[in-house]
Amino acid sequence: MEKKLSHGLQAGVSYTFSHATDEQSGLGLFYNGNNPTNLRGGYGSSDFDRTHVLNFTYSYTLPKLVDESTLAGKLLDSWS
């Protein structure tokens, strides 16, 4: 969701749902669980799993201070 510029203010929000799984997070290479006859015994959520990610963004553009055609206007105006 995003709100475009309104009086110099712009804001946005995003949400991501995901789920990462594997067989060996944080336990070393070639790990396959506690029971070698059950290869899926170590299967589960990954160490890097970020199921819910919520991001907020915002920006405010400062008002124009000097005429844009001058050098000072090109350097000072339109900062966010």
Side-chain angles (χ1 to χ4, degrees):
M1 194 176 349
E2 186 174 8
K3 170 71 170 125
K4 295 291 183 183
L5 279 172
S6 175
H7 303 288
L9 182 64
Q10 183 173 356
V13 62
S14 66
Y15 171 77
T16 302
F17 174 80
S18 65
H19 188 65
T21 57
D22 66 9
E23 296 177 342
Q24 63 183 20
S25 280
L27 297 173
L29 192 59
F30 304 118
Y31 174 78
N32 62 5
N34 294 327
N35 184 355
T37 61
N38 180 8
L39 297 178
R40 294 185 59 88
Y43 190 77
S45 293
S46 299
D47 290 343
F48 55 86
D49 179 36
R50 293 180 61 199
T51 305
H52 304 282
V53 179
L54 183 62
N55 290 312
F56 292 100
T57 60
Y58 58 91
S59 173
Y60 179 71
T61 303
L62 296 173
K64 302 209 180 299
L65 304 172
V66 185
D67 184 23
E68 290 182 13
S69 62
T70 65
L71 177 62
K74 292 179 181 178
L75 294 175
L76 298 175
D77 285 345
S78 300
W79 282 87
S80 295

